[in-house]
Structure formats: structure tokens, C-alpha cells
């Protein structure tokens, strides 16, 4: 029953295969009738689920925000297959048809992080997404632009989504990670990150102030002992005169 209401909330119950029109579940990955490949994307207007092959949102009628993929000479950093160039909303990216990995240049990824409309266009749920294997999770990938191994970064420190980043060039995301990043931001994740950073800074200032106060008290105590000892030496010397 809860699954039924969840589907009603997301609009999934109204989805049909864009190839044959049969009722379809985006989590299935492929249509049970015609075996067409399925992937659910978010409507850029109301965020309801819709298939990427559909022309309009089944809930509000908004046009889909995904362009037609075009062949590319670039190789996927994840599996080395040929990637395809596509625009989702106004955001250009490269997708791998073999492993569903996504490459975004630095400017495109920044736009997704700062532009709500761009995030809406890429909040998607690829069918059949499962947890990454150990090899996928820990294997370093080469940057698509410079060929150097990218750094693995927990996006925004709090998201729990580990992405491959080459500073200044771009970001590679495994299957489902772009959805996770966009959803994290849409749900206020960056605000929580900023609050966490502010709290960390304030705590660091408090610790530094406490250490400074402790050092000052130690210095004052040391000075008092030294002054008393010096006075005693002076009195002793005066008695010897």
C-alpha cells in the first residue's frame, strides 16, 4: 500500500512506455512488453516522474527537457566505451550508453549546483540502479580532458555520494550519482553543508580562544613565580652586603 501511494506521489502510476504505450515501471529498466530501454527523468516544471522518451509530462503537460543524443569521440572514464553528447535542459553533458556514467565539464556541473531549473532537468532515476560494487567504488578514473587520475570526493561533505573530480576540468558520476547530487541540493543539502561549515568554524574559534586563554594564564603564573624567585635573590644579596 505504501508503494502505491509513493507511486501516486511521484506520478509513476501514470507512466507508459514511450515506445509501445504499455504501462511501465521505471525501476524495471526495460519495458516488459517491447523491451525498450527505460529511464525516468523529472519534469522540469512539476518534478513528477516521466520517461525520457516521452515528449510531455503526464501530470502537468510540460515538454521534456532532454535533447537527442549525438555520437562523441570521447571515451568513458568508467568503462572506456564511447560516450554520447546530450543536452538536458540547458546543460550539456556526456553519457555512457554502456555503464550509464555521466561526464560534466566544470561549468556545467556548477550550473547544476546553482540553477534550480537545471537541477530539475537532471533529477532522474535510471531503471535498475543498484549499489556500486567495490571495484566501482574505489577505482580511480582518468580525467576525460587531461588524462590524469581524478580525486574521489564526498560531494558537499555530507551527501554520501562519492564523485570523481578533476579540478578545473570536470566531474564524472557513476550511474545514479547525478540524481543523488541533484536531489541532495534540491532538498537543501548545500544549506546544511554551509551550516555545518559555520558551526565547525565557530567551534574552531572557541577552541583557539580557550587555548589562548590557557596559555595566557600559564604565562602569568610563570611570571609570578619568576618575580617571587627574583625578589628572594635580591633580598638575599642585600643581606650579604
Amino acid at each position: 500500500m505504501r508503494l502505491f501511494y509513493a507511486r501516486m506521489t511521484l506520478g509513476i502510476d501514470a507512466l507508459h512506455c514511450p515506445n509501445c504505450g504499455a504501462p511501465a515501471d521505471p525501476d524495471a529498466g526495460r519495458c516488459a512488453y517491447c523491451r525498450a530501454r527505460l529511464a525516468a527523468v523529472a519534469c522540469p516544471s512539476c518534478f513528477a516522474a516521466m520517461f525520457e522518451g516521452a515528449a510531455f509530462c503526464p501530470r502537468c503537460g510540460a515538454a521534456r527537457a532532454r535533447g537527442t543524443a549525438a555520437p562523441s569521440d570521447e571515451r568513458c572514464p568508467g568503462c572506456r566505451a564511447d560516450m554520447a553528447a546530450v543536452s538536458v535542459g540547458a546543460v550539456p553533458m556526456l553519457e555512457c550508453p554502456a555503464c550509464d556514467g555521466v561526464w560534466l565539464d566544470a561549468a556545467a556541473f556548477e550550473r547544476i549546483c546553482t540553477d534550480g531549473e537545471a537541477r530539475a532537468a537532471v533529477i532522474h532515476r535510471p531503471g535498475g540502479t543498484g549499489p556500486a560494487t567495490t571495484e566501482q567504488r574505489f577505482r580511480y578514473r582518468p580525467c576525460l580532458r587531461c588524462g590524469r587520475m581524478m580525486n574521489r570526493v564526498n560531494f558537499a561533505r555530507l551527501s554520501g555520494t562519492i564523485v570523481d573530480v578533476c579540478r578545473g576540468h570536470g566531474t564524472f558520476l557513476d550511474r545514479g550519482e547525478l540524481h543523488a547530487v541533484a536531489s541532495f541540493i534540491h532538498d537543501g543539502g548545500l544549506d546544511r553543508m554551509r551550516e555545518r561549515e559555520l558551526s565547525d568554524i565557530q567551534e574552531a574559534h572557541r577552541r583557539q580562544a580557550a587555548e589562548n586563554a590557557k596559555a595566557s594564564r600559564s604565562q602569568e603564573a610563570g611570571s609570578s613565580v619568576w618575580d617571587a624567585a627574583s625578589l628572594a635573590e635580591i633580598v638575599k644579596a642585600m643581606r650579604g652586603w
Side-chain angles (χ1 to χ4, degrees):
M1 182 62 71
R2 280 182 292 180
L3 178 59
F4 171 77
Y5 283 116
R7 292 189 175 195
M8 289 290 290
T9 301
L10 293 172
I12 294 174
D13 59 302
L15 293 183
H16 292 79
C17 172
N19 186 56
C20 71
D25 185 339
D27 290 332
R30 290 186 179 274
C31 174
Y33 297 89
C34 70
R35 305 305 298 166
R37 184 171 180 266
L38 303 173
V41 299
C43 168
S45 178
C46 71
F47 283 89
M50 59 185 289
F51 284 125
E52 66 177 31
F56 301 96
C57 171
R59 174 175 289 181
C60 71
R64 72 170 185 170
R66 182 183 178 85
T68 302
S72 169
D73 294 333
E74 303 291 353
R75 304 292 295 276
C76 174
C79 69
R80 308 310 296 165
D82 291 334
M83 304 190 81
V86 65
S87 291
V88 180
V91 180
M93 62 184 70
L94 292 169
E95 292 183 333
C96 177
C99 71
D100 291 326
V102 177
W103 168 269
L104 294 109
D105 285 330
F109 190 70
E110 181 178 355
R111 181 166 187 174
I112 288 176
C113 293
T114 57
D115 187 332
E117 187 172 323
R119 280 196 302 279
V122 302
I123 293 180
H124 64 292
R125 302 188 312 111
T129 299
T133 64
T134 301
E135 181 182 2
Q136 288 176 324
R137 189 171 295 148
F138 296 107
R139 183 162 55 89
Y140 287 90
R141 281 72 176 269
C143 171
L144 189 144
R145 301 304 180 200
C146 69
R148 296 180 180 177
M149 291 300 174
M150 293 182 282
N151 294 319
R152 295 186 60 74
V153 177
N154 181 6
F155 178 76
R157 297 176 55 196
L158 304 176
S159 69
T161 301
I162 311 299
V163 298
D164 297 272
V165 179
C166 181
R167 186 179 296 239
H169 289 151
T171 302
F172 179 75
L173 305 102
D174 286 310
R175 185 181 189 183
E177 290 180 347
L178 183 56
H179 164 252
V181 166
S183 297
F184 173 80
I185 299 172
H186 179 69
D187 293 339
L190 292 185
D191 291 334
R192 294 194 299 273
M193 179 200 71
R194 284 188 282 268
E195 290 174 0
R196 176 74 169 271
E197 289 181 340
L198 179 60
S199 177
D200 290 346
I201 292 173
Q202 291 173 340
E203 179 61 26
H205 286 168
R206 283 193 292 268
R207 288 198 301 267
Q208 187 62 50
E211 291 176 2
N212 291 343
K214 182 178 179 180
S216 178
R217 288 194 297 270
S218 298
Q219 184 176 6
E220 290 174 359
S223 298
S224 298
V225 172
W226 173 257
D227 291 344
S230 299
L231 182 59
E233 289 296 328
I234 293 174
V235 170
K236 182 178 179 181
M238 292 176 65
R239 289 175 178 172
W241 286 352

